Amino acid sequence: MTWGSEELFRTSRQVSRNVVVSGRRTSMRLESSLWEALEEIARREGGSVNDLCGRIDSRRGEMSLTGAVRAALVSYYRDMLESAEADNHKSCEHSKS
């Protein structure tokens, strides 16, 4: 799926799921594409969705858990993009030498 594709908007309905954060069960309502992203990041980081939500919860301050998860997802993928761009830039400079 590409950014802005009709399929993304058509298939990304909100879904409620339960997560366990700090030993307490709570529910969050996120778009299905965000649940997929949360699962992917948890796999990449070697943990579970509950673990990842717990880490986000411990840093969220006054923000709602759902809002903090959305912000964390954006931040994670921005960091990945910046890292890839930096690596690409270094590779281009190295090949010019």
Side-chain angles (χ1 to χ4, degrees), residues 38-52 55:
L38 196 57
E39 291 164 355
E40 177 183 329
I41 293 168
R43 272 193 308 276
R44 285 175 179 257
E45 298 297 317
S48 68
V49 168
N50 290 341
D51 296 335
L52 187 54
R55 287 173 44 199

Side-chain angles (χ1 to χ4, degrees), residues 18-43:
N18 290 322
V19 293
V20 177
V21 177
S22 302
R24 293 183 15 224
R25 190 176 86 172
T26 188
S27 77
M28 289 195 312
R29 187 171 173 90
L30 295 170
E31 291 75 12
S32 56
S33 59
L34 296 182
W35 281 114
E36 291 169 11
L38 196 57
E39 291 164 355
E40 177 183 329
I41 293 168
R43 272 193 308 276

Side-chain angles (χ1 to χ4, degrees), residues 67-87:
V69 165
R70 284 188 171 101
L73 293 173
V74 170
S75 179
Y76 185 90
Y77 284 113
R78 277 187 174 167
D79 289 349
M80 281 182 63
L81 180 60
E82 288 174 9
S83 178
E85 287 174 345
D87 289 346

